[in-house]
Amino acid sequence: IPRALPPHFPPHAHPSTPNPNFFEFMAEPEKDAAVAEEEECKVEFKPLVQLNEVDTKTGEEDEDVLYKVRAKLFRYSNDTNEWKERGVGDVKILQHSANKMIRLLMRRDKTHKICLNHYVNADVELKENVGSDRSWVWSAVDYSEGAREESVFAIKFKDSDVAAEFKKEYEKAKESMKEVVKGAEGAAEKGEEAKGDEEAKEDGAKEEEEKKEE
């Protein structure tokens, strides 16, 4: 009595002498599955709720980009006495179109969360990071977390040429900020002088009235 063949073999084949079309026969279910999967992927689903586009404000609408370059930022932690990475992204030198104030701003890639945000201080120098010609260190009063925080930053660029270019643009921003501060101080002094003149006039008017009453 001939032995029954396993169900996965064609009825005319024997395990020792497989049909030449055996592997093609076995692959047909996979082909069918692939076709079914491909057809299933072509199905389009329409969203149940249509969302309107929202115009998001970044706070940079009234500022001009003086310089922008990609970099990696670090901040020194006084708690652990070590450098901690703040993020990778584009660091910008921005100038306000009205008051001409200049700040450094950096957002993390993908999340766009602010990791650096402070005004350029004309008295702060960029210092070369020890052992690197493509990194700078400086201190600043930072507002990236919303509150005022005195911080020490280090920023790293892809090569020394980019690092030198960043410092050049930073120095230009410092000179511009010196003029802005001088102008603000001059306006404040003029305001104080004008206020003093008004007070003097009022005092003189009071004295004249008192003399007339006497």
Side-chain angles (χ1 to χ4, degrees):
I1 300 173
R3 189 174 53 173
L5 297 176
H8 59 272
F9 282 93
H12 63 275
H14 189 277
S16 60
T17 58
N19 186 349
N21 298 325
F22 169 70
F23 295 104
E24 182 180 353
F25 171 80
M26 294 297 294
E28 285 179 358
E30 295 183 2
K31 290 181 180 179
D32 295 340
V35 171
E37 184 178 355
E38 184 178 355
E39 291 177 352
E40 183 178 355
C41 292
K42 292 180 180 179
V43 178
E44 296 182 0
F45 295 93
K46 294 183 178 180
L48 297 178
V49 179
Q50 293 289 341
L51 299 178
N52 297 325
E53 292 186 2
V54 179
D55 186 13
T56 304
K57 299 292 183 181
T58 64
E60 305 172 35
E61 288 77 16
D62 297 326
E63 295 173 298
D64 299 320
V65 180
L66 303 181
Y67 182 73
K68 182 176 75 171
V69 68
R70 189 169 179 79
K72 179 182 287 188
L73 184 71
F74 301 85
R75 184 170 66 184
Y76 190 77
S77 173
N78 293 321
D79 296 333
T80 59
N81 294 324
E82 63 180 352
W83 290 102
K84 291 189 175 181
E85 184 177 331
R86 292 284 288 161
V88 177
D90 290 333
V91 58
K92 301 177 184 178
I93 300 178
L94 302 173
Q95 184 174 39
H96 197 276
S97 57
N99 60 30
K100 302 303 179 183
M101 294 288 285
I102 302 175
R103 64 171 174 154
L104 285 180
L105 180 73
M106 183 172 176
R107 297 178 184 271
R108 297 189 182 102
D109 283 346
K110 298 181 180 179
T111 63
H112 302 291
K113 185 178 179 181
I114 295 175
C115 57
L116 175 69
N117 181 26
H118 70 80
Y119 285 113
V120 173
N121 189 333
D123 297 325
V124 174
E125 296 286 341
L126 294 180
K127 297 181 180 179
E128 187 173 310
N129 200 358
V130 178
S132 176
D133 60 352
R134 57 192 182 108
S135 179
W136 303 109
V137 177
W138 77 100
S139 59
V141 179
D142 183 60
Y143 291 88
S144 60
E145 302 293 340
R148 182 181 188 276
E149 184 175 1
E150 294 185 5
S151 306
V152 178
F153 292 104
I155 194 165
K156 188 176 182 181
F157 303 95
K158 68 175 184 177
D159 54 45
S160 58
D161 292 336
V162 177
E165 185 179 39
F166 174 79
K167 185 175 184 180
K168 180 182 177 181
E169 296 297 328
Y170 178 83
E171 293 296 327
K172 288 165 61 176
K174 283 175 53 179
E175 292 301 318
S176 297
M177 280 296 285
K178 286 180 182 179
E179 297 301 320
V180 171
V181 171
K182 285 181 182 179
E185 290 176 350
E189 289 177 0
K190 288 181 180 179
E192 290 294 327
E193 291 177 0
K195 184 179 179 181
D197 292 341
E198 288 296 327
E199 291 177 351
K201 288 179 181 180
E202 290 177 2
D203 292 339
K206 288 180 180 179
E207 290 179 1
E208 289 295 330
E209 289 178 3
E210 290 175 357
K211 288 180 180 180
K212 289 178 181 179
E213 289 177 358
E214 292 177 357

